[in-house]
Amino acid sequence: MTTQLPWSVVVPCHNAAKTLDRCLAALAAQTAAPAEVIVVDDASTDDTAAIAERFPCRTVNIRPNRGPAAARNTGAAIATGRVLFFLDADIELRPDALENAAAAIAAPGTGMVQGVYDADPMIDDGPVERYKTLFEHQWRTGSAGATDVTLFALTAIRAEVFTAAGGFDETLRSGEDVEFGSRLPAGWTVITDPTVVGRHDDVDRLGPLLIEQWRRSLRFAELLARARRAPAAGNTVRTGAYGPAAVLAAGAIAASAPLALWQPWLAAVPALFAIAFGIASAPLVAAAAARSLRWAAAVYALHLLYVGTAGLASLVGALRPAVWRPRP
């Protein structure tokens, strides 16, 4: 027998036919069922709406496409639950995910509980996706406990806290969950709970992975500047995904590599930075090594590209004059 929670689950969707069936089926199989499930179809052109109709949920259609921030706000506006659980359509929750989230958010002062990704993808589409999923699993579980990082892929938040923060900024097409954290009302704790788990279907090709990281990192510089200009924002804007040591080491490898063209022995310099990057990324590489040394080497290389892209894009974003001008 399942326990019903006075919760509203909001699932924003855009062309989610590949994963939505598994997402909603996992919701239906929860040991603690939500009072309602709201699927917000953000101008999909595939079978998203038809798939949603096969499940006991309320479907809301948005036209034209407005992005995840608007889709989440639309679902939250009609939700009746005392707690909102935002769930991306490409995540398949473990059966006890909502029950574990309910136990965590019941703690006094806890306003928000965010889950973690499983180490394995929902649908295994190759090594790039396996790397990305493992990376997301490692840093999220490594950040378990109280945090100032806000992510909304699988996250419960008290409705009163969401309302007090003012919802998501609909002008943002990416980074809206990170920006939301800079407006959280004081007095509420955000928890990352590693028992709230879902399998994620992630990017599975290298080009799209790096393009996505470039775009998000460019946006991050703007969000950081905006948060610093906010007069009453006591919260920071950050992701927590990787520390400055890894970013600096990745940049130093690229910057020092040409030295070997001048004097061959200077190749030792980027080699030392490569070792430093490995040390900064040790938990991820060690997790990959548990499978095989070959996989650990592949994960190291992919992570170097990923972090290097993030560092370069953040630098470019920070140097753009428009970032530092006040918004009208």
Side-chain angles (χ1 to χ4, degrees):
M1 177 179 294
T2 60
T3 301
Q4 188 173 66
L5 300 171
W7 287 22
S8 299
V9 176
V10 177
V11 184
C13 302
H14 175 68
N15 291 342
K18 178 183 177 183
T19 59
L20 184 60
D21 184 89
R22 295 179 65 155
C23 173
L24 296 180
L27 271 175
Q30 290 294 298
T31 56
E36 63 179 352
V37 176
I38 302 169
V39 174
V40 183
D41 180 6
D42 188 16
S44 295
T45 57
D46 62 4
D47 293 333
T48 292
I51 293 170
E53 289 175 359
R54 300 204 296 261
F55 292 87
C57 59
R58 179 177 179 182
T59 303
V60 180
N61 297 304
I62 296 179
R63 296 290 186 276
N65 177 268
R66 294 170 56 196
R72 291 186 181 123
N73 284 345
T74 298
I78 63 174
T80 60
R82 294 201 299 268
V83 173
L84 306 174
F85 191 93
F86 292 99
L87 177 65
D88 285 358
D90 55 6
I91 294 176
E92 181 181 37
L93 293 176
R94 285 187 186 174
D96 60 355
L98 293 188
E99 184 176 3
N100 292 340
I105 208 168
T110 300
M112 180 173 163
V113 174
Q114 47 201 18
V116 302
Y117 291 160
D118 193 278
D120 297 316
M122 178 202 289
I123 302 169
D124 190 341
D125 291 313
V128 170
E129 182 172 20
R130 287 196 293 273
Y131 151 71
K132 181 62 162 43
T133 304
L134 179 63
F135 166 60
E136 293 282 355
H137 170 78
Q138 285 295 124
W139 82 260
R140 289 172 189 251
T141 53
S143 302
T147 180
D148 58 359
V149 176
T150 54
L151 302 163
F152 278 87
L154 60 168
T155 294
I157 183 170
R158 295 180 186 271
E160 61 184 297
V161 176
F162 183 81
T163 300
F168 294 100
D169 183 344
E170 297 186 12
T171 67
L172 299 176
R173 286 279 181 154
S174 64
E176 73 287 341
D177 47 356
V178 176
E179 189 276 336
F180 181 93
S182 68
R183 295 181 282 108
L184 276 175
W188 292 102
T189 301
V190 178
I191 298 292
T192 298
D193 188 335
T195 70
V196 180
V197 182
R199 287 194 172 193
H200 183 221
D201 187 58
D202 218 314
V203 182
D204 58 16
R205 290 178 296 153
L206 183 59
L209 175 72
L210 298 182
I211 290 171
E212 177 186 72
Q213 178 70 324
W214 179 270
R215 186 184 70 249
R216 289 178 174 176
S217 298
L218 282 175
R219 175 67 69 185
F220 179 79
E222 178 183 346
L223 297 180
L224 182 60
R226 285 173 55 177
R228 287 177 173 174
R229 288 197 298 265
N235 302 295
T236 59
V237 168
R238 67 186 188 91
T239 66
Y242 29 73
V247 176
L248 291 174
I253 293 170
S256 60
L259 292 175
L261 300 177
W262 181 40
Q263 291 287 343
W265 65 268
L266 288 177
V269 177
L272 289 174
F273 285 124
I275 294 171
F277 181 80
I279 294 172
S281 309
L284 174 65
V285 176
R291 176 178 168 183
S292 73
L293 292 179
R294 183 178 179 180
W295 177 234
V299 165
Y300 176 96
L302 288 167
H303 195 53
L304 181 60
L305 287 171
Y306 191 70
V307 174
T309 299
L312 180 59
S314 296
L315 178 62
V316 171
L319 294 176
R320 291 186 300 175
V323 167
W324 302 101
R325 286 199 296 265
R327 290 163 60 98

